[in-house]
């Protein structure tokens, strides 16, 4: 998915700070699993973890693969491969692609030249290699889940639905402070609150010195994200593909309308066709 300089710089710190961040937020293992599975619906059409997925979806990011849509043109696929090298000792089926992957990660190129057989290798290892799956889990958490939850902690978000939405946004938009990134969208959302915003969620945030109900904040954030999906600010995201993914926001708006604020064992959201589906941990 999308990666920024902010994300790269934050990777190591996020990985080491993850346990403290998760403990502070009170997130349960089940709540995290639900968040991951919901995003899987948007990414792959079901709640399964598709470690073996790999294809060029022609979105300007090269090959898209794995549980988080790691892309050869946005550096996160290269991060997965490097993590896998650490687990295998440095010599494995991906080693022959190192030079090309590093070059495309640095340049942001969507080219797949020099990557013949890449998807075959990814798919085979994704189906059978526990170390490769572990590498994907590790990079998903360090680049997307943990940074999104750190931002949630900074905001003071307490509701499962809010924290999970930040993760899903981070997966698609990247977690950075650019105009289309998660941190950038949070900034835009916060700037819209110029007075107290009351509500009955039981959670109150301090935004620009104002008391803002967490559901009121999340409702505005979803509006801001919708506008960004329709009108991306960064040229690299303006292909039109994002306009086709409004179901990601509508799904959370549905859960919000049902007052499914805190999740324990399950939550009902919308699938990519707009049909209600129950996700369980």
């Amino acid at each position: 998915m999308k990666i920024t300089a902010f994300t790269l710089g934050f990777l190591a710190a996020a990985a080491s700070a993850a346990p403290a961040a998760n403990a502070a937020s009170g997130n349960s293992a089940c709540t995290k699993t639900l968040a991951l599975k919901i995003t899987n619906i948007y990414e792959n059409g079901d709640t399964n973890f598709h470690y073996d997925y790999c294809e060029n979806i022609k979105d300007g990011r090269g090959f898209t693969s794995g549980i988080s849509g790691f892309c050869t043109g946005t550096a996160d696929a290269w991060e997965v491969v490097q993590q896998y090298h650490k687990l295998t000792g440095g010599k494995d089926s991906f080693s022959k692609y190192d030079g090309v992957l590093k070059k495309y990660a640095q340049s942001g190129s969507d080219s797949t030249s020099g990557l013949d057989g890449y998807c075959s290798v990814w798919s085979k290892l994704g189906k059978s290699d526990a170390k490769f799956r572990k590498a994907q889990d590790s990079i998903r958490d360090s680049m997307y889940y943990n940074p999104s939850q750190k931002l949630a902690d900074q905001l003071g978000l307490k509701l499962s639905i809010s924290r999970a939405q930040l993760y899903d946004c981070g997966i698609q938009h990247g977690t950075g402070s650019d105009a289309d990134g998660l941190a950038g969208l949070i900034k835009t959302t916060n700037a819209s609150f110029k007075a107290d915003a009351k509500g009955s969620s039981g959670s109150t945030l301090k935004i620009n010195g104002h008391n803002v109900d967490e559901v009121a904040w999340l409702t505005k954030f979803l509006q801001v994200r919708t506008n960004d999906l329709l009108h991306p600010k960064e040229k690299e995201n303006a292909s039109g593909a994002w306009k086709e993914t409004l179901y990601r926001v509508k799904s959370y708006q549905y859960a919000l309308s049902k007052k499914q604020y805190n999740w324990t064992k399950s939550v009902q959201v919308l699938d990519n066709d707009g049909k209600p589906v129950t996700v369980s941990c």
Side-chain angles (χ1 to χ4, degrees):
M1 303 309 295
K2 187 172 180 236
I3 184 171
T4 65
F6 173 91
T7 307
L8 283 171
F10 190 68
L11 194 155
S16 61
N22 288 339
S25 70
N27 274 356
S28 68
C30 179
T31 301
K32 177 180 178 181
T33 296
L34 290 173
L36 299 181
K37 284 187 172 183
I38 291 170
T39 291
N40 284 353
I41 294 175
Y42 313 143
E43 293 284 317
N44 299 302
D46 58 46
T47 59
N48 297 324
F49 293 92
H50 293 266
Y51 293 93
D52 60 331
Y53 167 73
C54 184
E55 68 174 317
N56 185 351
I57 60 175
K58 310 295 184 182
D59 65 345
R61 297 177 180 180
F63 285 121
T64 298
S65 46
I67 57 172
S68 297
F70 302 112
C71 298
T72 56
T74 61
D76 49 1
W78 174 226
E79 293 293 336
V80 171
V81 170
Q82 290 183 90
Q83 182 66 22
Y84 182 56
H85 287 336
K86 292 179 182 178
L87 299 176
T88 63
K91 285 296 182 180
D92 52 63
S93 300
F94 276 112
S95 298
K96 61 186 176 183
Y97 300 116
D98 284 357
V100 177
L101 288 173
K102 182 177 181 180
K103 181 177 71 173
Y104 290 163
Q106 292 174 339
S107 66
S109 173
D110 66 345
S111 174
T112 58
S113 177
L115 294 176
D116 293 344
Y118 172 86
C119 274
S120 294
V121 172
W122 189 290
S123 296
K124 180 179 179 180
L125 293 176
K127 291 176 181 177
S128 61
D129 193 318
K131 290 181 179 179
F132 187 51
R133 292 186 173 203
K134 183 177 180 180
Q136 290 190 48
D137 288 338
S138 176
I139 298 304
R140 175 202 60 208
D141 283 356
S142 65
M143 296 188 76
Y144 298 112
Y145 189 79
N146 294 340
S148 74
Q149 298 312 288
K150 182 179 176 70
L151 289 169
D153 287 341
Q154 292 171 351
L155 281 165
L157 300 180
K158 298 179 178 63
L159 306 179
S160 304
I161 191 170
S162 306
R163 303 182 69 92
Q165 167 58 203
L166 260 59
Y167 165 68
D168 183 68
C169 185
I171 281 285
Q172 183 177 31
H173 297 247
T175 58
S177 56
D178 57 288
D180 293 332
L182 173 58
L185 297 183
I186 289 173
K187 182 178 180 181
T188 299
T189 301
N190 289 350
S192 69
F193 290 99
K194 304 184 185 301
D196 290 354
K198 297 181 179 180
S200 57
S201 73
S203 175
T204 302
L205 312 178
K206 273 292 184 182
I207 306 295
N208 302 325
H210 304 297
N211 294 319
V212 177
D213 181 79
E214 185 168 333
V215 167
W217 184 90
L218 179 58
T219 298
K220 182 61 180 180
F221 179 82
L222 291 171
Q223 293 171 353
V224 168
R225 185 180 177 189
T226 295
N227 184 64
D228 193 64
L229 289 173
L230 291 171
H231 309 286
K233 309 300 187 301
E234 303 292 332
K235 183 178 179 180
E236 65 193 76
N237 302 320
S239 66
W242 276 12
K243 294 179 182 180
E244 306 302 320
T245 64
L246 290 176
Y247 49 76
R248 300 180 84 125
V249 174
K250 292 178 180 179
S251 179
Y252 270 85
Q253 289 173 329
Y254 172 83
L256 201 58
S257 72
K258 298 294 184 181
K259 296 186 178 181
Q260 299 178 100
Y261 301 155
N262 270 317
W263 308 339
T264 52
K265 297 181 179 179
S266 65
V267 60
Q268 191 175 69
V269 294
L270 300 180
D271 65 16
N272 298 348
D273 294 320
K275 298 177 181 179
V277 58
T278 298
V279 180
S280 302
C281 61

